[in-house]
Amino acid sequence: MEPSALFNFLDSDVPASMGWLRGVNLLALLTTLLAALSAWAHFGRARRRVDPLGGGEPLATRAMWWTLSAAVLTMAISIYHRWIEVNHFPSQTMSEVLVMFSGALLLSMWVLHLALGLRRNHGYGWATVGDALVAVVCAGSLATNAYSSSLTTAQRDLPPALQSYWFAPHLSALIFSYATLGIAAAIGVVYFAARFWSQTLAGERPRLGRGLVILALAALLPLVPRWIGPGLSADRGVGHLLAWGGLTLALVALVLGLRFGLRKREAAGAALLFGTLTLLPFGQFLTWPVLVLVGLVFCGLAAARSLPSAEVVASLERTMDQVSFRAFAVGFPFLTAGLFMGAFWAQDAWANYWGWDSKENTALISWLVYVVYIHLRMLGGYRGGKAMGVLVAGALSIFITFQIFGYLPDSQKSMHRYTDDGVTPKEGMQGAKPEADRQAQAQAPERSPAAF
Amino acid sequence: MLAQANQAPNTGARASDAPKRAPFRWGFLSSLAVLLVLTFSGQALIALLRPAFMAGKGAYIAGGPGALLDPALYFEALSKGPGGALRPALLGLFLLASLGWTWANRGAVQRYFTAMHTGVVTVSLSLLAVAAGVMIPQIDPVDDPDARVMAPGVPGSNYEQHYQQFRFAQSYFLWHLLHLYGFGMPSGEIPPQAVAGLERRADRYGSEEAKNTEKQMRAAIAGQQKGQLIEEFATRNDRALRGFFDFSSRFELNRIYRSYWFASLMGCLFVAIAFNTFKGGPQRWFKVQKLGFFLVHVGMLILLTGGGLSRSCTERGIMHLYKGGLDEERDGTYDRRDGDIPPIEDTFYEHFTADRLARMPFGVSLEQFARRDWLALVVRFNDDQGRANPPTHTLWKGRRIDLDYEYLDAAGRVLETNADGDPIDASGVLLAREELDKRPRLRIEVLSLHDQAEVGEPTVREAQPGERPAGEDPLPLAILVLPDYQRILNSGQPGPGDQLPTRKVYFSPAAGEEFEVRGFADPLGSFRLLTVAEGDPRAAFPPSEGQLGEISYRIAAGGERLDGRLPVSIGQRLPLPGGYEILFQKATKSYREDPVSGQVLADERPLAEQAFVAPAVTATLYGPDGTSEVRVLHDRRPSARQRSREAPLALDAVELTLEWNEWFAPGPPRFVLGWSRASGGGLAAYIEDEAGQRQTAALGARLPLPGLSPVQLESALLDAVVEPRVEFLDEGVVKGPGYDPDFYVEAPRGVELRVISDPELPERRREQTVRLATTQEGNASFWFPPRGDLVVQFIENRAMMPFEWRSVLALHEPMPDGSWKPLDLGPPAQREIRVNDYFQYRGFRFFQTNAIPEAPLYSGIGVVYDPGIPWVLAGMYTVIAGAAFAFLLRPILLGRKPASPSA
């Protein structure tokens, strides 16, 4: 994808909404870079044990806050323009929905950054974590916008079922919850990444074993660019070579790592981790970048012989656990409300609050995963890795509901597939027998809104 | 201490003093095992008890709630099957024993259901069940809850149909799983020959439109290629897929949500939630720490109760209603008052057999129905005719559409283009469109939209100098005011003081060769008048050679279609292609048949004296094999159809159409009307007869023509511009919510546009207001801008989903004598259905489900009877309230962060 297609907000040849969206991309990129600088500055202050309540924030932190705020505002303007351009709440096509999700990510991050007050409450060490989170979320927003620009932006007319007062609140609640719960999962991913690197770099294991783990990780990096979009299809030959080459190298590295002292359990864990990250689209744009980012930080610390102690890491994990729960606590009621608003809407449209459509089912599965999470945490005392693993599973389920659902077997007859780009909507008439009037079948209304 | 107790003989220690065994600690696996046993036991129990349930339903239908209290009813239902009367006895014993055991071990049962592991396992198993439903295509049609896959060999089996759906769905999923990230996926490359078309599209409609078209093309091409690959995958793995399908059918994995084991699992979930909701007593439920969770659990219980009611008591169907129809004979067939619409069986009534809980105790008919499609503009450039599908621009008030772009250089000057329309620089080098600035040459803005438009009399004026595009011929036009003889015939001869009804007719010598567009014949037979343009008007009087007109023929011969025309002249025998011949025998201008006997009532007068009412020519057609038949050729009616009510034509390969030319045929005196620019300015019009006698024809005065018919020349133009006049009868489009009678008015819809040429060039910018209507009348749906290279069409877009559809139902009560009595449910506003706003009556909910554009009287109405709905909705609202309280309000009220681990 050409940079101008992402960042050239002065291009007069694109609709106003797209121009403003490119401005968001620029601000998101800037915020990511500033967040990285802010993390570095906070980390320095943490090492020098500067009083978190005395003195002002580093310049990079203040700039980061302003660019994040500007990104949120610019996104709101972009969405407003899109609303004008399509004459309805802009969440009908997949590109529109993705832009809404990207905006929700930025807004959630903005709210969480204020609400968590990591520097205020926990010091510069936690502020570093907070900055890392801002970087990850802004990068995620940029990546989402980049992907959405590969999809058609054509205006589509709202079918009658979508002209309902439930349209906006249902989608807004769900998209906001997706963003918030996504951030909760992102915290979990940071947690796992920190744990992985601290265990890999610390301890008595031979350097060669550890080095081979890192090599295996690096060898799989060529697979990462796959998510960028169809633009890379022209050089699929090179990409294939790199990918298969990388996988082979990673396997060899892990085997050698076992030979040179890597424990079997860790090797198995690493293999599972790498395999999962490689195969899951989820891993492409969330887990890999986080793993690399956190890895850079820890490798830098290891090089400076300043790796945090086990107690510090444990404390880090405890706080990340609490922060992820807070993010979950904000998102879960909205997920509940959004899920059931879809039922209310379906009831208004077809007097059928739950049709066991695959979109409804995948959304229900996501909700149930979080119900399991609440019970495990509140009744079972699950904390740390166990609890955050469930959060990540929940976010994975949301991702499947949001993006992968169209490929699932039961989705072929789903009425919700109109949001999938390139797929002819299945407009089966509700209640029709297979041998019913063909004309009537061809004219059936699209069913319920995107019950995310 | 335990050892001492054991060693002390005969100490008299009682059993109750012995230390109690620690209660069993449930883990995930043990909880799961018990849950699975409970689920499958429940499944068996439901299957066994189902006959009793169905008997109860039937009794309720027949005798009301009181009939449910008869135990013999259930005993009899359960006795059917192996074991006879022993079955209900054993079942009863088993149930009693289970209840007894449960009561005796209530502590253990409570511990099981309140264990965290049990709760997690129950939710997780439910989650897995739903996940299985997503991974296997479900066969769960809304109107037939008991639908199953039948065995393959059974007559009328649905096995193959469901397997094909399964096969495709699984192949689609598995193929994508094996091609993650696009590995091996077709890329959907745009073929080179389409690139030029995309560039042209960008020039016409903007680069955003072209980019979206490109993306759609890629997806379509890739999708097509992908479809083939998926089919190949499915074929290669057909055996495995079929095995998986049979497995799924065997264990009801393709109808999970209707299966008994899923119902049993939901029952276990209900019990588990109930145990955990009410523990601790009311003093615990309403504490701030617990209230939110209590509400969530109570809401879930209500929701599951409603779900159970829905599952067991719902009846659904679809009614295919046509306006005005009613089930007069109560046989499920809706009778039509309009005989052309065939009766359609109502699937909802089909669904009602004796074992259904609810039957609709009233009749339903469709009183009103209307559908509104999205209003749109389609702009076609003449150069693109047949080569591209122009985009359809949906309209709303304020929308702006920019079209027809020109490219600019860095200095803002317009760049030249080559023959292909590509921008080039001064030396002819091609320039990349993406790097150039551009501006639109045409801008269309929507000023207003209307639901009711009327096409009035068009405005006619002289074209301004330079207004007509170069190369286009001028349009001379005469507007005559003629007596409206049709209205006179219908309403009777006007009295002496009454004004004669008239009509305005437009004639133009440039409109074509047909007499009807250039002139007319007086129905009273006094004259024939033709408009003429430049040149000698006497050229308009052809020598009479007995030619009455022409026939156009279409002959199917040797697999080909041969078309052509022949002059019609009585007594002439002319050859036709394919070995046919035709002999024109006689002609009449007033052909009539006796409506009773079918006998032709001939007018024996000479043609010239006959009234020009219904011209017809009798001809004999000779076939190549010697057969012949007589045909009566009526003016402008293809002969193959005119005898459709009689025996079919023998020589049906030949279709003949007569085009009578009243100007050529013998008839009353002929006159021409001509006009030209007068020497002193203005217009000079004249009437000239066949002998060359000319008289002046004054504008606004009666023409000097013989006979009683007053013909007035209202105006004559040398080069006319005719613009349809569109009037709007309303303020704007009907918008919900709420009933609006205007929605059902059938009328063309209208739009007012502001069209701006060169909108970004102040020195050349020109604006005009254009009104269009969705009707062919007066060509009101088209606008041809003066630039002449494009046409704008205003349409109701029926290709996509409509904007809205509404129905008004009428309900009828069946009377003992078999008739129907309308139920007074209030005005139409009370009985209207809109999408997202259904109509409810006596527990039945009627909602709009579909419509057919080709059948404007048809409305598909879905019906559902579901007593569980209020419960489920109440449960959902309670869950939302509880979740919001527990996670958003509770931390604020408690003044603590929600991270505190309180169980």
Side-chain angles (χ1 to χ4, degrees):
Chain A
M1 180 160 295
E2 288 183 17
S4 63
L6 277 180
F7 301 113
N8 182 11
F9 61 93
L10 296 172
D11 186 356
S12 59
D13 200 23
V14 295
S17 61
M18 179 59 76
W20 284 99
L21 191 66
R22 289 177 178 181
V24 172
N25 293 341
L26 206 55
L27 288 165
L29 181 66
L30 205 55
T31 310
T32 306
L33 296 170
L34 288 168
L37 287 172
S38 173
W40 189 255
H42 280 144
F43 182 64
R45 289 190 182 191
R47 284 192 66 204
R48 296 195 304 274
R49 300 184 192 283
V50 175
D51 178 17
L53 296 176
E57 285 277 26
L59 179 63
T61 309
R62 280 179 279 146
M64 178 199 80
W65 174 248
W66 282 110
T67 54
L68 179 62
S69 305
V72 172
L73 192 63
T74 312
M75 179 59 94
I77 297 173
S78 172
I79 291 171
Y80 165 76
H81 276 286
R82 181 68 185 179
W83 195 324
I84 302 289
E85 285 160 17
V86 298
N87 199 40
H88 56 73
F89 184 67
S91 287
Q92 187 186 3
T93 62
M94 184 53 84
S95 70
E96 289 170 353
V97 159
L98 283 172
V99 167
M100 294 292 276
F101 174 70
S102 164
L105 273 179
L106 293 173
L107 181 66
S108 299
M109 192 64 248
W110 191 85
V111 169
L112 274 172
H113 192 76
L114 274 178
L116 293 175
L118 288 173
R119 174 185 66 90
R120 241 184 2 259
N121 297 328
H122 298 284
Y124 283 116
W126 299 125
T128 312
V129 172
D131 294 333
L133 196 58
V134 170
V136 166
V137 170
C138 287
S141 175
L142 176 58
T144 306
N145 292 343
Y147 174 60
S148 78
S149 61
S150 72
L151 305 173
T152 175
T153 58
Q155 181 262 349
R156 287 189 60 175
D157 302 326
L158 279 185
L162 285 185
Q163 298 168 36
S164 166
Y165 52 77
W166 288 114
F167 189 23
H170 167 68
L171 261 80
S172 304
L174 279 170
I175 288 176
F176 178 73
S177 73
Y178 286 178
T180 318
L181 293 168
I183 291 174
I187 297 169
V189 172
V190 171
Y191 168 93
F192 286 121
R195 199 191 227 189
F196 170 79
W197 284 111
S198 68
Q199 285 182 348
T200 302
L201 294 174
E204 314 79 27
R205 287 190 291 288
R207 281 193 180 187
L208 187 57
R210 287 183 272 143
L212 285 166
V213 169
I214 296 168
L215 177 65
L217 187 66
L220 290 168
L221 273 176
L223 289 166
V224 175
R226 273 286 158 222
W227 60 265
I228 290 179
L232 283 182
S233 61
D235 56 285
R236 259 188 312 145
V238 173
H240 275 163
L241 204 59
L242 282 173
W244 288 113
L247 272 169
T248 312
L249 195 60
L251 218 61
V252 167
L254 278 176
V255 168
L256 286 176
L258 274 170
R259 170 71 180 84
F260 287 101
L262 192 67
R263 282 180 221 145
K264 279 185 189 158
R265 200 170 156 190
E266 281 165 329
L272 188 66
L273 178 70
F274 295 162
T276 315
L277 294 181
T278 310
L279 290 174
L280 288 177
F282 194 70
Q284 292 278 299
F285 50 80
L286 177 62
T287 325
W288 275 108
V290 168
L291 209 53
V292 168
L293 260 176
V294 175
L296 283 171
V297 169
F298 271 80
C299 286
L301 290 172
R305 297 182 191 280
S306 303
L307 268 181
S309 65
E311 292 79 21
V312 170
V313 173
S315 171
L316 172 83
E317 293 176 353
R318 271 196 303 276
T319 300
M320 278 200 281
D321 175 73
Q322 290 170 13
V323 168
S324 67
F325 179 74
R326 278 190 229 181
F328 158 83
V330 170
F332 183 71
F334 286 95
L335 182 70
T336 307
L339 177 70
F340 289 142
M341 275 197 264
F344 301 148
W345 189 355
Q347 175 59 28
D348 274 356
W350 299 286
N352 187 17
Y353 55 85
W354 197 266
W356 295 109
D357 183 80
S358 64
K359 190 76 163 188
E360 296 166 348
N361 293 341
T362 47
L364 177 63
I365 289 168
S366 305
W367 189 75
L368 288 174
V369 172
Y370 287 109
V371 167
V372 167
Y373 170 75
I374 298 166
H375 285 82
L376 285 174
R377 188 181 180 90
M378 293 190 150
L379 298 178
Y382 273 47
R383 294 288 185 276
K386 287 196 286 189
M388 283 197 269
V390 183
L391 276 182
V392 172
L396 185 61
S397 176
I398 285 175
F399 177 74
I400 291 172
T401 307
F402 198 4
Q403 294 292 308
I404 309 297
F405 131 89
Y407 300 97
L408 300 172
D410 195 38
S411 298
Q412 290 299 322
K413 61 173 174 35
S414 170
M415 312 298 181
H416 293 84
R417 288 187 85 209
Y418 64 89
T419 56
D420 295 316
D421 224 40
V423 171
T424 309
K426 277 279 180 192
E427 294 176 342
M429 188 170 69
Q430 195 216 37
K433 288 181 183 171
E435 63 272 15
D437 187 339
R438 207 155 54 84
Q439 270 186 333
Q441 278 189 326
Q443 287 298 324
E446 284 182 341
R447 249 185 79 170
S448 183
F452 292 98
Chain B
M1 190 169 83
L2 190 62
Q4 285 171 355
N6 281 342
Q7 282 167 12
N10 299 323
T11 56
R14 293 195 294 268
S16 58
D17 293 339
K20 285 184 182 164
R21 235 176 22 184
F24 180 74
R25 292 196 61 184
W26 292 101
F28 288 121
L29 284 176
S30 49
S31 301
L32 177 64
V34 171
L35 183 64
L36 287 171
V37 167
L38 286 173
T39 301
F40 292 119
S41 304
Q43 176 189 11
L45 198 62
I46 292 172
L48 286 170
L49 289 174
R50 190 169 187 269
F53 177 72
M54 297 307 291
K57 263 171 95 166
Y60 178 82
I61 295 169
L68 291 173
L69 300 173
D70 179 14
L73 171 78
Y74 307 108
F75 188 87
E76 195 185 319
L78 292 170
S79 299
K80 292 179 183 154
L86 209 52
R87 277 163 59 89
L90 286 172
L91 200 54
L93 265 173
F94 172 76
L95 284 171
L96 279 171
S98 303
L99 282 168
W101 184 90
T102 306
W103 179 256
N105 295 278
R106 57 190 180 279
V109 169
Q110 186 181 14
R111 272 196 302 280
Y112 172 74
F113 280 109
T114 53
M116 180 274 290
H117 299 83
T118 304
V120 168
V121 153
T122 310
V123 173
S124 301
L125 198 58
S126 306
L127 189 162
L128 283 172
V130 177
V134 163
M135 298 304 291
I136 297 169
Q138 300 295 298
I139 52 151
D140 194 19
V142 173
D143 62 345
D144 186 4
D146 296 325
R148 279 172 169 80
V149 176
M150 297 156 74
V154 170
S157 172
N158 60 10
Y159 176 91
E160 201 54 40
Q161 173 204 343
H162 283 300
Y163 170 65
Q164 290 302 323
Q165 289 170 3
F166 175 91
R167 179 179 180 269
F168 175 74
Q170 288 295 349
S171 308
Y172 188 87
F173 169 68
L174 291 169
W175 190 88
H176 280 93
L177 198 62
L178 296 171
H179 294 83
L180 282 174
Y181 308 136
F183 286 144
M185 244 197 240
S187 58
E189 293 294 336
I190 305 285
Q193 59 270 27
V195 173
L198 285 170
E199 286 173 347
R200 196 164 37 245
R201 200 173 184 87
D203 297 341
R204 303 276 192 245
Y205 305 108
S207 46
E208 195 68 15
E209 169 62 35
K211 273 185 228 161
N212 286 331
T213 303
E214 184 185 345
K215 287 172 190 168
Q216 284 160 5
M217 278 174 73
R218 280 187 194 279
I221 293 168
Q224 207 177 21
Q225 295 164 348
K226 207 168 64 170
Q228 285 168 358
L229 292 169
I230 291 171
E231 177 55 34
E232 285 166 18
F233 175 89
T235 306
R236 277 200 308 274
N237 299 283
D238 189 78
R239 204 166 151 191
L241 289 168
R242 204 171 275 271
F244 187 20
F245 177 69
D246 291 337
F247 172 81
S248 306
S249 305
R250 170 72 182 86
F251 292 101
E252 292 196 319
L253 295 178
N254 52 16
R255 56 183 305 274
I256 285 177
Y257 314 112
R258 300 294 311 174
S259 65
Y260 294 156
W261 66 262
F262 188 76
S264 175
L265 179 61
M266 291 298 105
C268 294
L269 183 65
F270 183 96
V271 170
I273 294 175
F275 266 100
N276 286 280
T277 303
F278 301 107
K279 69 181 181 188
Q283 66 275 10
R284 193 165 172 265
W285 304 339
F286 299 105
K287 284 191 175 159
V288 170
Q289 294 95 323
K290 297 295 169 197
L291 179 61
F293 301 107
F294 175 72
L295 285 175
V296 167
H297 286 91
V298 166
M300 286 302 298
L301 289 176
I302 300 171
L303 198 159
L304 286 168
T305 304
L309 271 175
S310 291
R311 193 218 178 280
S312 44
C313 303
T314 294
E315 302 295 342
R316 290 186 183 277
I318 300 246
M319 294 194 294
H320 304 289
L321 297 185
Y322 281 74
K323 230 161 99 165
L326 185 62
D327 181 13
E328 298 279 359
E329 291 163 30
R330 292 199 235 182
D331 60 355
T333 304
Y334 278 78
D335 307 310
R336 314 295 163 207
R337 299 223 169 88
D338 183 343
D340 279 350
I341 301 171
I344 287 180
E345 280 191 29
D346 169 31
T347 60
F348 189 63
Y349 271 84
E350 274 183 12
H351 193 60
F352 275 119
T353 51
D355 62 345
R356 299 292 175 190
L357 178 66
R359 67 179 69 204
M360 214 156 62
F362 46 84
V364 181
S365 67
L366 185 65
E367 187 177 289
Q368 285 178 300
F369 173 72
R371 167 196 172 118
R372 287 272 183 270
D373 289 289
W374 291 94
L375 296 171
L377 283 186
V378 179
V379 180
R380 283 187 185 83
F381 288 80
N382 296 347
D383 289 347
D384 293 337
Q385 288 293 349
R387 279 197 288 182
N389 271 338
T392 305
H393 296 102
T394 302
L395 302 181
W396 55 83
K397 189 175 170 182
R399 180 164 194 187
R400 193 175 94 174
I401 304 164
D402 285 342
L403 300 158
D404 197 23
Y405 290 82
E406 55 190 4
Y407 294 92
L408 310 172
D409 62 13
R413 290 184 297 254
V414 177
L415 288 164
E416 298 288 329
T417 55
N418 61 12
D420 295 329
D422 302 317
I424 52 176
D425 65 10
S427 45
V429 173
L430 271 176
L431 299 170
R433 284 173 166 80
E434 313 78 58
E435 295 165 13
L436 300 171
D437 285 335
K438 61 187 189 201
R439 64 177 174 225
R441 279 187 283 218
L442 188 68
R443 176 170 293 161
I444 300 176
E445 294 174 354
V446 179
L447 296 175
S448 62
L449 291 166
H450 301 266
D451 274 339
Q452 294 175 51
E454 193 176 65
V455 179
E457 211 176 284
T459 52
V460 183
R461 56 176 175 83
E462 282 287 357
Q464 301 292 324
E467 184 178 352
R468 189 156 304 275
E472 197 173 291
D473 292 330
L475 182 70
L477 193 76
I479 304 176
L480 301 180
V481 178
L482 309 175
D484 190 343
Y485 286 109
Q486 192 60 47
R487 255 205 291 170
I488 294 168
L489 271 174
N490 291 342
S491 53
Q493 187 89 2
D498 296 340
Q499 200 142 8
L500 197 68
T502 57
R503 62 189 179 106
K504 210 179 280 191
V505 189
Y506 300 76
F507 296 109
S508 172
E513 291 305 315
E514 290 184 6
F515 175 56
E516 283 71 24
V517 299
R518 298 182 57 180
F520 81 106
D522 175 31
L524 299 182
S526 300
F527 61 86
R528 288 174 286 176
L529 182 68
L530 184 78
T531 56
V532 295
E534 298 160 7
D536 185 356
R538 271 168 288 187
F541 297 104
S544 178
E545 292 169 351
Q547 190 173 321
L548 306 177
E550 286 185 328
I551 56 156
S552 67
Y553 59 80
R554 173 168 282 188
I555 303 173
E560 279 183 30
R561 265 226 177 123
L562 306 164
D563 297 335
R565 303 174 77 83
L566 280 179
V568 174
S569 201
I570 300 301
Q572 270 201 323
R573 182 164 170 151
L574 298 172
L576 291 165
Y580 295 89
E581 283 186 330
I582 187 162
L583 168 65
F584 301 104
Q585 286 160 317
K586 57 180 177 176
T588 176
K589 283 196 201 178
S590 52
Y591 183 89
R592 281 182 303 153
E593 282 181 12
D594 188 296
V596 176
S597 64
Q599 198 181 352
V600 175
L601 305 169
D603 189 337
E604 300 302 336
R605 294 177 295 171
L607 269 183
E609 292 173 25
Q610 292 182 22
F612 179 61
V613 176
V617 169
T618 308
T620 302
L621 182 65
Y622 299 93
D625 53 355
T627 52
S628 67
E629 67 176 359
V630 175
R631 290 202 187 178
V632 178
L633 307 173
H634 297 267
D635 189 24
R636 288 167 178 82
R637 258 202 277 161
S639 63
R641 279 185 220 138
Q642 69 192 20
R643 292 165 67 101
S644 59
R645 286 184 219 142
E646 303 166 15
L649 297 170
L651 300 170
D652 58 357
V654 180
E655 188 176 289
L656 303 168
T657 308
L658 170 69
E659 290 170 24
W660 183 279
N661 191 324
E662 179 61 5
W663 185 250
F664 283 71
R670 295 186 290 194
F671 298 83
V672 297
L673 167 67
W675 60 96
S676 58
R677 197 172 295 287
S679 50
L683 213 67
Y686 61 89
I687 292 281
E688 188 167 314
D689 62 16
E690 207 157 348
Q693 294 284 328
R694 184 180 282 207
Q695 298 181 68
T696 304
L699 289 177
R702 180 172 172 169
L703 291 175
L705 293 166
L708 298 170
S709 301
V711 178
Q712 189 177 332
L713 174 65
E714 184 177 280
S715 65
L717 298 97
L718 295 167
D719 184 9
V721 171
V722 181
E723 288 162 342
R725 189 182 313 167
V726 175
E727 303 292 340
F728 301 131
L729 306 178
D730 62 359
E731 295 301 314
V733 293
V734 168
K735 278 189 179 143
Y739 175 77
D740 190 333
D742 284 344
F743 189 84
Y744 301 96
V745 171
E746 289 174 15
R749 301 171 73 197
V751 65
E752 188 169 46
L753 305 170
R754 179 188 296 132
V755 183
I756 309 167
S757 304
D758 295 309
E760 294 179 9
L761 283 180
E763 65 276 14
R764 278 169 33 192
R765 180 189 166 107
R766 276 200 318 171
E767 269 185 40
Q768 69 180 108
T769 303
V770 173
R771 286 186 170 197
L772 298 171
T774 55
T775 174
Q776 297 306 312
E777 192 186 337
N779 267 346
S781 62
F782 291 93
W783 180 60
F784 300 88
R787 49 187 283 176
D789 62 342
L790 59 91
V791 55
V792 176
Q793 185 185 8
F794 175 52
I795 61 168
E796 289 190 76
N797 188 2
R798 293 187 172 225
M800 306 296 288
M801 293 295 292
F803 164 66
E804 192 176 1
W805 44 42
R806 300 183 185 183
S807 301
V808 174
L809 298 183
L811 303 193
H812 312 262
E813 191 183 333
M815 304 305 290
D817 63 357
S819 64
W820 292 94
K821 179 183 154 200
L823 286 167
D824 181 13
L825 298 175
Q830 308 294 332
R831 295 175 280 119
E832 188 182 52
I833 302 172
R834 295 172 285 275
V835 181
N836 295 316
D837 189 4
Y838 58 76
F839 167 67
Q840 191 173 342
Y841 180 70
R842 289 174 67 175
F844 289 85
R845 291 169 169 84
F846 302 88
F847 57 94
Q848 191 73 61
T849 185
N850 70 304
I852 305 171
E854 296 82 5
L857 298 178
Y858 166 83
S859 177
I861 305 287
V863 189
V864 60
Y865 179 89
D866 184 350
I869 289 174
W871 291 80
V872 170
L873 297 184
M876 287 179 175
Y877 278 114
T878 309
V879 171
I880 292 173
F885 188 92
F887 293 101
L888 297 175
L889 277 179
R890 177 172 165 264
I892 298 169
L893 291 174
L894 290 178
R896 285 180 286 174
K897 297 194 171 52
S900 303
S902 55

